[in-house]
Amino acid sequence: MELLGQRWVLRALWELEPGPLGFLELRRRMGSCSSSVLSERLQQLQNAGVLEKRTDKSYELTVAGMELGTALKHVWGWSERWSADLRSTR
């Protein structure tokens, strides 16, 4: 949970969910995340067993990472439902 709370971690997981990406493409999709921070986050996610670096140097989610992505989609859906409810009561 501590890792998931760090800035840019959830965004990196979100971007990698559809499939593998190389560092430069992932960096482009991450907007204002610096290369050094992205490198650090990717290393932390690798150490946690959530993603791996492939032989072609791209990054992809492991089975554990895909399971985490599924869990996060549920949290996202929950937040969408509750934010819509909050907007409708204002």
Side-chain angles (χ1 to χ4, degrees):
M1 290 306 293
E2 189 174 312
L3 176 58
L4 294 178
Q6 292 188 39
R7 189 167 189 197
W8 299 111
V9 167
L10 293 176
R11 177 68 183 273
L13 293 172
W14 179 263
E15 295 297 344
L16 288 165
E17 193 275 331
L21 291 172
F23 184 85
L24 293 177
E25 177 60 20
L26 183 56
R27 168 72 181 79
R28 186 187 67 73
R29 293 180 184 201
M30 298 279 289
S32 62
C33 180
S34 71
S35 294
S36 60
V37 170
L38 179 57
S39 292
E40 183 179 326
R41 296 299 181 260
L42 292 173
Q43 186 62 53
Q44 290 170 321
L45 289 165
Q46 286 178 80
N47 292 343
V50 175
L51 65 83
E52 62 188 5
K53 192 171 189 179
R54 298 165 25 135
T55 56
D56 65 359
K57 306 291 187 202
S58 65
Y59 293 88
E60 79 176 332
L61 297 177
T62 61
V63 171
M66 288 183 267
E67 288 180 12
L68 176 58
T70 299
L72 292 172
K73 284 180 186 177
H74 289 290
V75 172
W76 179 77
W78 173 86
S79 69
E80 288 293 303
R81 286 189 303 279
W82 277 98
S83 64
D85 287 349
L86 289 173
R87 284 190 302 269
S88 68
T89 60
R90 290 185 185 169

